[in-house]
Amino acid sequence: MRIESVWSYEADGPIGSYPVVADTPDGPLVLVGTGDGRLICLDSIGREVWSLALDGELRAPVVASISGNPTVLVGSDTGWVYACTLGGELLWSTRVNDVWRPEPFNRGITGPTGIAPISGGGEAAIVVADKAGVLSGLSAVGETVWRAELVTPTHFRGIGSPAVADLDGDGVDEIVVSGFD
């Protein structure tokens, strides 16, 4: 089998996340986060469609339907979560944790976010895990709905990216995270 490159893209800074592809009516878009805080959107032939300057080293973005609209969600190593449209318009940003821990277990987002319904409402919630071991649920407009500290302040190993699924078939999603110990 022969594999050949179709296109490549050189960013101004290091690309610190894996790419995510969003299927749109106008064709696929490739989204990546960079180490210098840019969220970059490329078209199917590698041309930059837009970029958004954000804060910190960005994790892998997630594309999800939030309130019926395709939305790009991305977290940073400085504890911020951002939401924007597939056209690159920033919708909101929120800091999920202001608890500081020594490096490397500070308040930064550990990876991509997960999506789960809020109990009783059916409205989408954004589930975010951070390096301080806090799991946060955000509303569709970025407001904190709930928080759970999963590790003690003296044990700052943090938690990994959340996975969200209905594990027991009861119609309610469960949130699964792993620890770094």
Side-chain angles (χ1 to χ4, degrees), residues 121 150 157 166:
L150 301 181
R157 285 286 186 184
D166 181 3

Side-chain angles (χ1 to χ4, degrees), residues 38-108:
R38 285 191 330 135
L39 179 60
I40 300 172
C41 178
L42 307 170
D43 66 13
S44 63
I45 58 172
R47 292 181 301 204
E48 187 173 306
V49 177
W50 54 262
S51 73
L52 196 55
L54 303 171
D55 181 53
E57 181 180 325
L58 299 183
R59 305 303 185 220
V62 172
V63 178
S65 178
I66 305 292
S67 299
N69 299 307
T71 304
V72 181
L73 302 165
V74 66
S76 76
D77 68 342
T78 56
W80 287 91
V81 176
Y82 301 94
C84 69
T85 67
L86 283 174
E89 176 190 351
L90 184 64
L91 299 171
W92 53 260
S93 61
T94 189
R95 189 171 219 162
V96 295
N97 192 354
D98 57 7
V99 176
W100 184 87
R101 301 278 203 291
E103 289 288 347
F105 307 110
N106 63 12
R107 61 182 161 243

Side-chain angles (χ1 to χ4, degrees), residues 117-123:
I118 294 176
S119 184
E123 179 185 342

